[in-house]
Amino acid sequence: MTADAAAPPAIELRGLRKVYRRGGKQTVAVDGLDLTVRRGEVFGLLGPNGAGKTTTVEICEGLLAPDAGEVRILGRQWGRGDDQSLRQRLGVCLQETKFHDKATVRETLQLFAAFYPGGRSVDEALALVSLQEKATARQAALSGGQRQRLAVATALLGRPELLFLDEPTTGLDPQSRRQLWEVVRRFQREGGTVVLTTHYMDEAQQLCDRIAIVDHGTVIARGTPAELIRSLGAEHFLHLDLEPAAARELLAAGDLERLPEVQALQADGGRVVLTVASIHRVLPAVLDLLTGRGVVLRDLATRHATLEDVFVHLTGRHLRDEGAA
Amino acid sequence: MKPRIVRAIAAVTFREFWRSPDAVFWTYGFPLLMALVLGYAFQTPSPQPLPVAVVASAEAEAIVARLQRDPRLRPEVLAADAADRSLARGRTALLVRPTAQGPVLRSDPTRPDAELARLLVERALRPAGAESQPALVGEVEDRPGSRYIDFLIPGLIGLNLLGAGMWGIGFNLVHLRTQRLLRRLVVTPMRPREFLLGFLLGRGVLVVPEAIAIALFGALVWGVPFRGSLLAFALLVLAGGFAFMGLGCLLAARPRTIEAIAGLTNLCQLPMWLLGGVFFSNERFDGALQWLVEAVPLTHLNGALRDVMLEPAGLIDVAAPLGGLVAFGALCFVLAVRWFRWT
């Protein structure tokens, strides 16, 4: 399972389109989406709920048929009479799957193991996701994180070349999330390719080699996390908390905005956020200016730009706002 | 078709069922309970005497005395309005109103007991001297194999196969679909027919022991006979189970909600309950209804089960219904595999 330069890409999508029709109403879920996932990388589809991430992934998994476009998974196409052998090479972890209520963790894995001759043993899969102690526990006795790890274990049983994880950590506590990230990293180290969807920007930033930001069914930006953040033109934010009256005067004069390195300014009363390329060059100038005007600085914080900022920059909306809706 | 996959599906399906005590009871314990209750309800050899109301008058006492000679009648004297009310409510089968010209008999002939009561009352009140016809001897049919309970037990076995197949399969398949477990399974290399067959085996493995339990229960409690071929019986139970499980698969092929599958199952099950010859004979309907009776698979299963239990029928005697049931189940199964919705 090593990345082979001559092998076709793990996934190639061209002009993918999917429309849901219900009761005369049409919803365009995926609208002309193009995507290439290389072998051996962890690729993230990042976007708000309803952006078309899950639809895209389910088309790749062969669960849904697209209305238009071309889909190649490990160089193969669905519906050409050989789906079963392609499925042997894929691992899938869907959003919120419930397994048999009365089956234990081990029994659930035994079921899936039967689908993959030559795959991992049940014990190996248990160890991969650190569920050995829960082997005899039934579904109902598992926490959300344990269930999700079981779902990932069922996906890893067949030693897949390509692993799909659809919102694998939604609703999990931080510790469970980190455990799952570790499983994903180990899978990648062994040569596997991962496609994961998420609306957690930190997850995408931590795990993914490359990312496609999806909104309204199309890719609006793509690249490594670092490239995407660099595309903002400024990677840092300087948060100032000023005495409001003094802040108003200062802002009216426009001196802050005129400082070199400051690319944008947002103000809300005394709270001012400067978008800057480098903190170490802009900070002395800001402090000099404030001292010179006699403005009291109540607090100061700096923050590195995140993928969330990239999304806000591209769409004017927040990722999580949509998620909560 | 990979036996390894079918076995794995069957194992997890069987455990899922076996580990739900309530499901086990309602599928397998309840029919035994029903056999017990119905068996006792219908076992009294002599039916209840028919209530007859006699309107209070001078002659009433004499009429009552004559009616009492027939144990099948239970006369009582009532005031005129009370007697009318009693007849209207069906508490009495017939009303006798003494008049100067002799007693008048009043009844509603659409009620099942009314005509029988009229015949008995007419005979009891016949003038003396008219009783010179030869006396007819009545016999009670109580030989094992000919009683109602003997008719009922094979019907209950058929009914149980129907319920276990249609509810046990249909309902649970749709449940798995609503849980999104079917989606998860279909993205594995498993094939649809492997899944459905494993599911049938997992749920159907208890079908034969359960049918034997009901038959044994009937034999021990009421002496219901078993005169035919045990092999034919076992094959019939398997074929019946397969037919109704196939139908359960077919009904569950598309629905996405529990409400939809419950409605569909009831729609299919109700005519079978009514026409399948479970509780009463279905050989006396006329015209189009009899055609429907013949179209219902339960009719043929129950008929064949009665043949092997109550008559010394062998495999050859029930070959036609046996083949029909298997063919019906196979057709349902193939259509279910074709139309099955995984998402």
Side-chain angles (χ1 to χ4, degrees):
Chain A
M1 276 204 309
T2 49
D4 181 354
I11 296 178
E12 270 186 293
L13 305 176
R14 294 285 164 265
L16 196 67
R17 185 177 163 83
K18 180 73 185 176
V19 181
Y20 290 113
R21 298 171 184 83
R22 192 154 288 182
K25 211 182 116 190
Q26 288 200 352
T27 314
V28 180
V30 178
D31 194 5
L33 186 141
D34 296 320
L35 203 65
T36 304
V37 177
R38 300 174 197 139
R39 301 235 181 180
E41 70 179 350
V42 176
F43 191 93
L45 286 171
L46 181 65
N49 285 353
K53 306 187 299 288
T54 294
T55 303
T56 303
V57 167
E58 290 190 343
I59 290 171
C60 292
E61 292 161 350
L63 261 178
L64 293 174
D67 292 315
E70 202 177 307
V71 181
R72 280 180 193 277
I73 308 297
L74 301 170
R76 311 272 278 274
Q77 288 175 283
W78 291 113
R80 298 288 166 99
D82 201 17
D83 289 0
Q84 253 65 28
S85 75
L86 180 52
R87 293 196 190 288
Q88 288 280 0
R89 302 163 67 192
L90 307 182
V92 175
C93 180
L94 300 174
Q95 242 180 73
E96 348 152 20
T97 301
K98 286 184 187 149
F99 296 104
H100 292 91
D101 297 328
K102 313 274 174 173
T104 66
V105 167
R106 177 177 293 281
E107 286 162 354
T108 300
L109 289 171
Q110 279 166 345
L111 171 67
F112 282 86
F115 304 147
Y116 303 98
R120 289 175 214 276
S121 72
V122 168
D123 286 312
E124 202 183 333
L126 279 172
L128 267 180
V129 297
S130 315
L131 272 180
Q132 296 98 320
E133 284 152 44
K134 287 285 169 185
T136 56
R138 292 189 190 177
Q139 285 294 308
L142 299 182
S143 70
Q146 289 163 342
R147 266 178 222 195
Q148 201 55 35
R149 265 144 64 201
L150 173 60
V152 172
T154 64
L156 292 175
L157 267 168
R159 299 185 192 279
E161 292 167 51
L162 172 57
L163 177 64
F164 293 97
L165 301 171
D166 196 355
E167 309 253 347
T169 64
T170 297
L172 298 192
D173 59 86
Q175 198 198 345
S176 300
R177 295 180 67 197
R178 274 193 296 275
Q179 279 176 322
L180 264 178
W181 292 354
E182 196 39 55
V183 173
V184 173
R185 287 198 188 101
R186 203 180 319 155
F187 176 76
Q188 185 191 20
R189 278 199 298 275
E190 291 169 8
T193 307
V194 181
V195 172
L196 89 108
T197 75
T198 183
H199 57 253
Y200 295 121
M201 54 185 176
D202 58 329
E203 182 161 287
Q205 217 157 342
Q206 288 272 343
L207 268 182
C208 297
D209 300 313
R210 289 198 308 136
I211 287 166
I213 297 180
V214 182
D215 193 36
H216 297 306
T218 67
V219 176
I220 55 173
R222 68 186 88 209
T224 66
E227 280 168 0
L228 287 169
I229 290 166
R230 260 203 309 279
S231 74
L232 285 172
E235 292 179 42
H236 299 274
F237 296 93
L238 184 59
H239 292 249
L240 306 171
D241 189 0
L242 307 173
E243 197 271 315
R248 264 197 301 281
E249 213 171 294
L250 187 69
L251 292 169
D255 291 343
L256 271 175
E257 272 168 294
R258 273 197 297 274
L259 287 174
E261 303 268 334
V262 172
Q263 303 200 338
L265 181 149
Q266 284 177 289
D268 178 14
R271 292 173 191 279
V272 178
V273 180
L274 303 176
T275 308
V276 301
S278 64
I279 295 280
H280 66 280
R281 262 177 270 171
V282 83
L283 192 54
V286 170
L287 293 177
D288 284 350
L289 181 69
L290 295 180
T291 317
R293 293 292 167 87
V295 178
V296 179
L297 180 60
R298 294 199 294 211
D299 196 11
L300 177 146
T302 67
R303 182 170 70 79
H304 200 279
T306 66
L307 291 170
E308 173 90 19
D309 300 309
V310 177
F311 186 79
V312 173
H313 175 72
L314 291 171
T315 67
R317 288 174 290 128
H318 283 271
L319 275 168
R320 300 284 212 93
D321 289 352
E322 310 270 322
Chain B
M1 189 79 80
K2 298 191 183 66
R4 184 187 67 246
I5 294 181
V6 175
R7 255 199 322 272
I9 297 281
V12 77
T13 305
F14 175 76
R15 279 195 298 257
E16 195 71 359
F17 169 69
W18 193 245
R19 287 175 185 170
S20 315
D22 48 344
V24 174
F25 170 76
W26 287 106
T27 312
Y28 294 107
F30 179 65
L32 286 182
L33 214 63
M34 190 150 81
L36 190 70
V37 169
L38 287 173
Y40 270 113
F42 290 102
Q43 74 170 348
T44 31
S46 56
Q48 295 291 311
L50 295 169
V52 173
V54 181
V55 177
S57 66
E59 301 89 343
E61 286 306 318
I63 289 174
V64 165
R66 294 184 71 173
L67 293 181
Q68 270 169 345
R69 274 186 246 150
D70 191 330
R72 289 168 293 181
L73 294 174
R74 186 164 53 77
E76 70 177 322
V77 177
L78 291 175
D81 55 342
D84 273 342
R85 217 166 33 242
S86 191
L87 183 67
R89 294 287 168 88
R91 284 194 296 264
T92 186
L94 183 95
L95 187 151
V96 182
R97 193 170 63 242
T99 65
Q101 289 79 39
V104 172
L105 307 186
R106 185 175 170 78
S107 67
D108 174 359
T110 62
R111 296 198 184 206
D113 291 343
E115 285 307 287
L116 177 61
R118 176 185 289 277
L119 286 172
L120 294 175
V121 169
E122 274 174 6
R123 215 175 70 161
L125 297 183
R126 256 192 316 232
E131 290 172 32
S132 54
Q133 295 148 351
L136 300 174
V137 179
E139 278 185 353
V140 175
E141 177 61 281
D142 58 355
R143 292 167 298 172
S146 308
R147 303 159 303 172
Y148 180 69
I149 187 70
D150 303 315
F151 179 85
L152 183 66
I153 290 289
L156 284 181
I157 293 175
L159 188 68
N160 194 41
L161 288 171
L162 174 74
M166 294 188 61
W167 289 105
I169 296 288
F171 210 75
N172 285 294
L173 279 178
V174 175
H175 176 65
L176 294 184
R177 186 176 292 130
T178 61
Q179 280 202 317
R180 303 163 72 92
L181 181 52
L182 293 184
R183 296 163 81 80
R184 177 64 188 90
L185 291 175
V186 80
V187 294
T188 69
M190 177 203 73
R191 288 164 203 273
R193 57 176 183 270
E194 290 164 343
F195 171 76
L196 283 177
L197 188 64
F199 198 80
L200 288 197
L201 289 176
R203 297 288 307 198
V205 70
L206 284 178
V207 148
V208 174
E210 167 60 12
I212 291 175
I214 298 180
L216 213 60
F217 185 81
L220 293 176
V221 179
W222 291 289
V224 174
F226 193 97
R227 294 171 178 152
S229 149
L230 197 60
L231 175 68
F233 176 78
L235 289 179
L236 270 175
V237 168
L238 281 176
F242 178 62
F244 296 130
M245 288 186 181
L247 184 57
C249 279
L250 181 57
L251 294 184
R254 308 295 298 174
R256 282 191 168 127
T257 62
I258 295 293
E259 287 79 5
I261 184 65
L264 270 175
T265 305
N266 278 327
L267 184 72
C268 269
Q269 212 174 21
L270 194 68
M272 298 228 229
W273 273 72
L274 295 176
L275 303 174
V278 176
F279 299 104
F280 48 87
S281 170
N282 58 0
E283 289 166 30
R284 288 185 295 174
F285 292 106
D286 47 36
L289 212 51
Q290 190 62 41
W291 183 86
L292 258 180
V293 163
E294 294 297 323
V296 165
L298 188 59
T299 299
H300 303 283
L301 176 63
N302 282 344
L305 283 172
R306 288 187 178 116
D307 286 347
V308 293
M309 287 182 70
L310 308 181
E311 288 166 34
L315 203 48
I316 304 291
D317 303 294
V318 295
L322 199 59
L325 287 166
V326 171
F328 177 80
L331 177 69
C332 289
F333 187 79
V334 168
L335 292 177
V337 169
R338 175 163 300 180
W339 290 334
F340 205 76
R341 191 206 294 269
W342 297 90
T343 56

